[in-house]
Amino acid sequence: MVEPRFRDRGSAAVQRMPPHAYFVVSAVFHYLGPALAVLLFARVEVLGVAWLRIATAALVFAVWRRPWRLWQHLDRPTRWLLTGWAAVLAVMNSMFYLAIDRLPLGTVAAIEFLPVIVLAALAARTRRNVAALVAAVVGVYLLTDVRLVAEPWASRSPSPTRCCSPSTSSSGTAWPAAGRCPASTAWLCR
Protein backbone atom coordinates (compact mmCIF):
# COMPACT_ATOMS: atom_id res chain seq x y z
CA MET A 1 0.00 0.00 0.00
CA VAL A 2 1.21 3.49 -0.82
CA GLU A 3 1.98 5.67 2.14
CA PRO A 4 -0.25 8.78 2.41
CA ARG A 5 2.69 11.17 2.15
CA PHE A 6 3.55 9.80 -1.32
CA ARG A 7 -0.07 9.88 -2.43
CA ASP A 8 -0.44 13.51 -1.27
CA ARG A 9 2.76 14.54 -3.04
CA GLY A 10 1.53 12.95 -6.27
CA SER A 11 -1.93 14.52 -5.90
CA ALA A 12 -0.44 17.95 -5.34
CA ALA A 13 1.71 17.60 -8.46
CA VAL A 14 -1.32 16.51 -10.48
CA GLN A 15 -3.39 19.44 -9.19
CA ARG A 16 -0.64 21.93 -10.10
CA MET A 17 -0.46 20.61 -13.65
CA PRO A 18 -2.29 22.89 -16.12
CA PRO A 19 -5.24 21.27 -17.92
CA HIS A 20 -3.75 21.76 -21.39
CA ALA A 21 -0.73 19.66 -20.35
CA TYR A 22 -3.03 16.63 -20.09
CA PHE A 23 -4.28 17.33 -23.60
CA VAL A 24 -0.75 17.60 -25.00
CA VAL A 25 0.43 14.38 -23.33
CA SER A 26 -2.71 12.57 -24.46
CA ALA A 27 -2.34 13.80 -28.04
CA VAL A 28 1.32 12.79 -28.21
CA PHE A 29 0.61 9.23 -27.11
CA HIS A 30 -2.61 9.02 -29.13
CA TYR A 31 -0.80 9.72 -32.41
CA LEU A 32 2.70 8.51 -31.63
CA GLY A 33 1.41 4.96 -31.07
CA PRO A 34 -0.20 4.56 -34.51
CA ALA A 35 2.68 6.33 -36.23
CA LEU A 36 5.14 3.85 -34.72
CA ALA A 37 2.74 0.96 -35.30
CA VAL A 38 2.77 1.57 -39.04
CA LEU A 39 6.51 0.88 -38.93
CA LEU A 40 5.88 -2.47 -37.20
CA PHE A 41 3.51 -3.69 -39.91
CA ALA A 42 6.48 -4.93 -41.94
CA ARG A 43 7.44 -7.35 -39.14
CA VAL A 44 4.25 -8.05 -37.17
CA GLU A 45 0.74 -8.75 -38.42
CA VAL A 46 -1.77 -5.92 -37.97
CA LEU A 47 -3.77 -7.59 -35.21
CA GLY A 48 -0.51 -8.50 -33.48
CA VAL A 49 0.44 -4.82 -33.43
CA ALA A 50 -3.01 -3.97 -32.06
CA TRP A 51 -2.58 -6.63 -29.38
CA LEU A 52 0.83 -5.19 -28.46
CA ARG A 53 -0.69 -1.74 -28.01
CA ILE A 54 -3.62 -3.07 -25.97
CA ALA A 55 -1.35 -5.20 -23.76
CA THR A 56 1.10 -2.33 -23.26
CA ALA A 57 -1.71 0.04 -22.32
CA ALA A 58 -3.10 -2.53 -19.88
CA LEU A 59 0.33 -3.00 -18.32
CA VAL A 60 0.91 0.75 -17.93
CA PHE A 61 -2.58 1.16 -16.46
CA ALA A 62 -2.04 -1.74 -14.05
CA VAL A 63 1.28 -0.36 -12.79
CA TRP A 64 -0.07 3.18 -12.58
CA ARG A 65 -3.52 2.61 -11.01
CA ARG A 66 -3.34 -0.93 -9.53
CA PRO A 67 -6.99 -1.68 -10.45
CA TRP A 68 -7.10 -5.06 -8.68
CA ARG A 69 -7.44 -3.23 -5.35
CA LEU A 70 -10.73 -1.69 -6.48
CA TRP A 71 -11.88 -4.71 -8.53
CA GLN A 72 -12.42 -6.87 -5.45
CA HIS A 73 -14.85 -4.31 -4.01
CA LEU A 74 -17.01 -3.96 -7.14
CA ASP A 75 -20.38 -5.63 -7.52
CA ARG A 76 -21.03 -8.12 -10.32
CA PRO A 77 -22.88 -5.73 -12.73
CA THR A 78 -20.08 -3.17 -12.48
CA ARG A 79 -17.48 -5.84 -13.20
CA TRP A 80 -19.44 -6.92 -16.29
CA LEU A 81 -19.74 -3.29 -17.39
CA LEU A 82 -15.99 -2.72 -17.08
CA THR A 83 -15.20 -6.00 -18.82
CA GLY A 84 -17.54 -5.05 -21.68
CA TRP A 85 -15.97 -1.61 -21.92
CA ALA A 86 -12.50 -3.17 -22.11
CA ALA A 87 -13.68 -5.51 -24.89
CA VAL A 88 -15.19 -2.62 -26.86
CA LEU A 89 -11.94 -0.64 -26.55
CA ALA A 90 -9.93 -3.66 -27.70
CA VAL A 91 -12.16 -4.18 -30.74
CA MET A 92 -12.07 -0.45 -31.52
CA ASN A 93 -8.26 -0.42 -31.42
CA SER A 94 -8.11 -3.52 -33.60
CA MET A 95 -10.40 -1.92 -36.19
CA PHE A 96 -8.31 1.26 -36.10
CA TYR A 97 -5.14 -0.70 -36.82
CA LEU A 98 -6.83 -2.65 -39.60
CA ALA A 99 -7.86 0.70 -41.10
CA ILE A 100 -4.36 2.21 -40.96
CA ASP A 101 -3.01 -0.91 -42.63
CA ARG A 102 -5.29 -0.26 -45.61
CA LEU A 103 -5.55 3.55 -45.75
CA PRO A 104 -3.15 6.44 -45.19
CA LEU A 105 -2.81 7.36 -41.51
CA GLY A 106 -4.01 10.92 -42.18
CA THR A 107 -7.24 9.67 -43.77
CA VAL A 108 -7.93 7.34 -40.84
CA ALA A 109 -7.23 10.17 -38.39
CA ALA A 110 -9.69 12.40 -40.26
CA ILE A 111 -12.34 9.68 -40.16
CA GLU A 112 -11.65 9.21 -36.45
CA PHE A 113 -12.32 12.91 -35.84
CA LEU A 114 -15.62 13.00 -37.76
CA PRO A 115 -17.87 11.97 -34.83
CA VAL A 116 -16.17 14.52 -32.56
CA ILE A 117 -16.64 17.27 -35.15
CA VAL A 118 -20.31 16.31 -35.67
CA LEU A 119 -20.98 16.37 -31.92
CA ALA A 120 -19.23 19.73 -31.62
CA ALA A 121 -21.34 21.08 -34.49
CA LEU A 122 -24.55 19.85 -32.86
CA ALA A 123 -23.60 21.36 -29.51
CA ALA A 124 -22.33 24.73 -30.83
CA ARG A 125 -24.41 27.43 -29.15
CA THR A 126 -22.23 30.53 -29.10
CA ARG A 127 -19.87 32.32 -31.47
CA ARG A 128 -17.00 31.03 -29.40
CA ASN A 129 -18.23 27.43 -29.92
CA VAL A 130 -18.55 28.02 -33.67
CA ALA A 131 -15.05 29.56 -33.80
CA ALA A 132 -13.65 26.54 -31.94
CA LEU A 133 -15.48 24.20 -34.32
CA VAL A 134 -14.09 26.02 -37.38
CA ALA A 135 -10.58 25.93 -35.88
CA ALA A 136 -10.95 22.19 -35.22
CA VAL A 137 -12.18 21.47 -38.75
CA VAL A 138 -9.38 23.53 -40.32
CA GLY A 139 -6.81 21.91 -38.01
CA VAL A 140 -7.96 18.39 -38.85
CA TYR A 141 -7.95 19.24 -42.55
CA LEU A 142 -4.43 20.68 -42.45
CA LEU A 143 -2.93 18.00 -40.20
CA THR A 144 -4.45 14.96 -41.84
CA ASP A 145 -3.81 15.86 -45.50
CA VAL A 146 -7.37 14.97 -46.51
CA ARG A 147 -7.93 14.63 -50.25
CA LEU A 148 -11.43 15.29 -51.52
CA VAL A 149 -11.12 13.32 -54.76
CA ALA A 150 -12.36 10.00 -56.02
CA GLU A 151 -8.96 8.31 -55.84
CA PRO A 152 -6.96 8.49 -52.60
CA TRP A 153 -3.58 8.96 -54.33
CA ALA A 154 -4.73 10.89 -57.38
CA SER A 155 -2.21 13.69 -56.94
CA ARG A 156 0.68 11.60 -55.65
CA SER A 157 2.33 8.35 -56.54
CA PRO A 158 1.06 5.18 -54.85
CA SER A 159 2.61 4.11 -51.62
CA PRO A 160 5.02 1.23 -52.26
CA THR A 161 3.62 -0.75 -49.33
CA ARG A 162 0.05 -0.32 -50.57
CA CYS A 163 0.57 -0.97 -54.27
CA CYS A 164 -0.23 -4.42 -55.51
CA SER A 165 2.64 -6.00 -57.36
CA PRO A 166 2.99 -9.56 -58.56
CA SER A 167 5.10 -10.48 -55.58
CA THR A 168 3.79 -8.65 -52.53
CA SER A 169 0.73 -7.21 -50.89
CA SER A 170 0.42 -4.69 -48.07
CA SER A 171 0.92 -7.52 -45.58
CA GLY A 172 3.95 -8.91 -47.41
CA THR A 173 2.20 -11.97 -48.82
CA ALA A 174 2.02 -12.84 -52.52
CA TRP A 175 -1.18 -12.01 -54.38
CA PRO A 176 -2.56 -14.85 -56.45
CA ALA A 177 -3.34 -14.48 -60.15
CA ALA A 178 -0.05 -12.90 -61.26
CA GLY A 179 -0.26 -9.51 -59.65
CA ARG A 180 -3.99 -8.97 -59.67
CA CYS A 181 -5.33 -7.20 -56.59
CA PRO A 182 -8.36 -8.57 -54.80
CA ALA A 183 -11.43 -6.60 -55.87
CA SER A 184 -11.90 -5.19 -52.38
CA THR A 185 -8.46 -3.50 -52.45
CA ALA A 186 -8.07 -2.73 -56.15
CA TRP A 187 -8.65 0.99 -55.61
CA LEU A 188 -5.56 1.08 -53.40
CA CYS A 189 -3.38 0.04 -56.34
CA ARG A 190 -4.06 3.01 -58.61
Side-chain angles (χ1 to χ4, degrees):
M1 180 142 189
V2 178
E3 294 181 30
R5 64 186 172 105
F6 293 116
R7 189 178 310 148
D8 292 340
R9 192 178 306 157
S11 299
V14 168
Q15 290 173 358
R16 283 192 313 262
M17 201 173 212
H20 55 274
Y22 290 108
F23 173 76
V24 170
V25 170
S26 173
V28 165
F29 284 104
H30 185 75
Y31 291 104
L32 189 60
L36 294 175
V38 170
L39 301 174
L40 286 175
F41 287 165
R43 301 217 181 259
V44 181
E45 288 293 322
V46 178
L47 293 178
V49 173
W51 181 87
L52 283 171
R53 180 159 183 185
I54 293 164
T56 303
L59 181 65
V60 168
F61 179 71
V63 169
W64 177 41
R65 301 306 301 173
R66 297 182 184 96
W68 54 85
R69 295 183 300 186
L70 179 61
W71 185 263
Q72 60 192 351
H73 301 294
L74 297 176
D75 60 352
R76 187 181 197 115
T78 305
R79 287 182 183 186
W80 277 109
L81 177 68
L82 290 175
T83 303
W85 185 32
V88 166
L89 290 176
V91 169
M92 180 191 71
N93 272 288
S94 298
M95 295 300 114
F96 180 78
Y97 279 97
L98 287 168
I100 63 175
D101 181 48
R102 290 166 174 79
L103 298 170
L105 183 57
T107 303
V108 176
I111 292 168
E112 182 185 25
F113 268 102
L114 280 177
V116 176
I117 298 295
V118 169
L119 285 175
L122 292 174
R125 303 281 186 258
T126 65
R127 281 189 229 160
R128 182 178 178 187
N129 294 152
V130 173
L133 175 64
V134 169
V137 169
V138 169
V140 168
Y141 178 78
L142 292 174
L143 292 174
T144 58
D145 192 32
V146 173
R147 304 236 185 242
L148 301 175
V149 295
E151 297 179 20
W153 294 289
S155 63
R156 54 186 156 158
S157 62
S159 168
T161 60
R162 302 291 184 255
C163 186
C164 302
S165 67
S167 59
T168 61
S169 71
S170 62
S171 62
T173 58
W175 288 117
R180 297 246 183 234
C181 295
S184 62
T185 60
W187 65 272
L188 291 173
C189 302
R190 295 182 184 154

